[in-house]
């Protein structure tokens, strides 16, 4: 009996110890989690940028205490009664239970460097950050608020693409958000697109690549189809680093690569420049 008690205690203690350490998927270094958190979830050994939640992303970008969430009650429905291995309704319920969120986008108002900005941030943990009707609606409402307030707009993308459980409803969000961004452009207001790991599919094929400034985190996977599909289609080996942010910068598809700890100051400087141009 006592042997089982001690065995259980040892197992729990060992698990708690393991939970305090993080292994970097790029350089395989084993690090104390607080060491990584202190670097805004960036590996201090190789600069690998870990995926982070929308809340942590917002905290790292906006002025402290300035973010006010909007449209938090918007939640997806199942208009097509879609089912594959699971029903879409069950997938939504599971995602809500696992993440505590109702959609893959958090949006709201904030300031960056004291300047008013509207922002929409994808969270990959909710159904792979997929773009559905609710996500598109949150983005469009954010754009409308930016137009009303005459301020800039930011989208931070972390998505596998369109949410195919919503079929055409999801694909329509590509044109819906792009049209809204055109209205923002016509008003002479800036849109900054931030690409993080991963930014793929219908997201990369629409608003993610429409920014006045397109920036990315180091090493982010950015593209439309996966490398395996592309290789099978074109029948040739792909270049090393293909679809990574460094490759895209070298070939002129994005404007800059910014380390996460530098993102706040970079955005603040850019919006100051845009505001001078507008005035």
């Amino acid at each position: 009996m006592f042997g089982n008690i001690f065995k259980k205690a040892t197992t729990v203690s060992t698990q708690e110890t393991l939970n305090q350490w993080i292994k970097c998927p790029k350089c395989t270094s084993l690090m104390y989690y607080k060491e990584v958190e202190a670097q805004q979830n960036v590996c201090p050994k190789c600069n690998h940028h870990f995926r982070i939640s929308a809340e942590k992303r917002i905290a790292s970008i906006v002025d402290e205490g300035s973010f006010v969430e909007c449209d938090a009650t918007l939640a997806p429905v199942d208009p097509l009664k879609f089912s594959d291995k699971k029903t879409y309704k069950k997938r939504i319920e599971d995602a809500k239970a696992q993440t505590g969120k109702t959609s893959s986008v958090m949006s709201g108002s904030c300031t960056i460097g004291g300047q008013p900005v509207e922002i929409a941030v994808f969270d990959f943990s909710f159904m792979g950050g997929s773009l559905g009707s609710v996500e598109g609606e949150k983005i469009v409402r954010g754009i409308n608020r930016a137009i009303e307030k005459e301020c800039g707009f930011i989208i931070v993308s972390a998505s596998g693409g369109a949410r195919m459980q919503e079929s055409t409803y999801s694909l329509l969000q590509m044109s819906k958000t792009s049209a809204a961004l055109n209205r923002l452009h016509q008003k002479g207001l800036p849109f900054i697109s931030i690409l993080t790991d991963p930014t793929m599919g219908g997201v990369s094929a629409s608003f993610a690549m429409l920014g006045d400034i397109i920036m990315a985190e180091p090493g982010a996977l950015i593209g439309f189809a996966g490398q395996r599909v592309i290789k099978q289609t074109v029948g040739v080996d792909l270049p090393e680093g293909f679809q990574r942010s460094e490759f895209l910068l070298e070939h002129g598809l994005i404007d800059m690569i910014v380390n996460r700890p530098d993102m706040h100051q970079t955005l603040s400087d850019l919006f100051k420049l845009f505001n001078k141009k507008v005035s």
Side-chain angles (χ1 to χ4, degrees):
M1 179 180 71
F2 293 107
N4 289 336
I5 291 174
F6 292 134
K7 185 176 181 181
K8 183 176 181 181
T10 302
T11 302
V12 172
S13 177
T14 302
Q15 188 60 47
E16 289 175 350
T17 302
L18 289 172
N19 289 341
Q20 295 177 9
W21 296 87
I22 297 174
K23 185 176 182 180
C24 176
K26 183 178 179 181
C27 69
T28 69
S29 297
L30 194 63
M31 297 161 290
Y32 187 46
Y33 79 97
K34 286 189 176 179
E35 182 185 5
V36 179
E37 284 189 342
Q39 302 290 329
Q40 295 192 25
N41 292 278
V42 176
C43 176
K45 312 288 186 183
C46 70
N47 202 41
H48 172 73
H49 283 50
F50 289 85
R51 294 175 183 175
I52 58 175
S53 67
E55 291 89 347
K56 287 184 178 180
R57 180 79 61 187
I58 290 167
S60 72
I61 289 177
V62 309
D63 294 341
E64 186 175 356
S66 70
F67 179 73
V68 178
E69 186 175 2
C70 301
D71 307 314
T73 58
L74 288 181
V77 294
D78 186 11
L80 303 175
K81 310 300 180 188
F82 187 91
S83 179
D84 44 45
K85 292 181 180 179
K86 289 183 184 178
T87 65
Y88 180 37
K89 184 177 180 181
K90 182 67 168 61
R91 289 188 185 278
I92 294 170
E93 291 172 354
D94 289 347
K96 286 181 181 178
Q98 291 168 6
T99 65
K101 297 177 172 62
T102 57
S103 76
S104 67
V105 166
M106 281 187 71
S107 63
S109 307
C110 65
T111 61
I112 298 177
Q115 302 160 103
V117 178
E118 293 295 319
I119 187 169
V121 179
F122 277 80
D123 194 318
F124 192 76
S125 66
F126 189 99
M127 295 190 70
S130 49
L131 174 66
S133 300
V134 167
E135 289 74 20
E137 181 64 18
K138 282 188 174 184
I139 290 170
V140 170
R141 291 188 185 189
I143 295 169
N144 291 339
R145 288 193 301 272
I147 292 172
E148 183 180 342
K149 297 176 182 179
E150 297 185 340
C151 68
F153 185 64
I154 295 172
I155 299 178
V156 184
S157 299
S159 173
R163 186 174 301 167
M164 298 319 300
Q165 289 88 351
E166 293 188 18
S167 188
T168 306
Y169 290 97
S170 174
L171 297 176
L172 284 170
Q173 306 312 309
M174 297 168 63
S175 57
K176 177 179 176 179
T177 52
S178 298
L181 286 171
N182 184 55
R183 294 198 299 273
L184 187 77
H185 176 72
Q186 294 300 320
K187 294 291 184 179
L189 299 169
F191 165 47
I192 295 180
S193 179
I194 303 174
L195 315 181
T196 71
D197 185 62
T199 300
M200 299 294 289
V203 168
S204 69
S206 55
F207 55 81
M209 289 298 185
L210 294 178
D212 296 299
I213 296 291
I214 303 174
M215 62 175 67
E217 287 189 336
L221 179 66
I222 304 164
F224 182 69
Q227 291 193 36
R228 179 174 54 83
V229 174
I230 295 173
K231 185 176 179 179
Q232 289 175 347
T233 302
V234 300
V236 297
D237 292 330
L238 301 173
E240 185 178 351
F242 180 71
Q243 292 187 322
R244 294 292 172 178
S245 50
E246 292 77 9
F247 185 90
L248 271 66
L249 178 64
E250 182 182 348
H251 290 80
L253 295 174
I254 62 175
D255 298 302
M256 62 179 75
I257 295 173
V258 182
N259 286 306
R260 191 174 295 160
D262 301 327
M263 191 69 73
H264 173 83
Q265 188 60 52
T266 302
L267 289 169
S268 176
D269 293 343
L270 285 171
F271 278 119
K272 285 176 183 177
L273 288 172
F274 276 118
N275 287 340
K276 285 181 181 179
K277 184 177 179 181
V278 171
S279 61

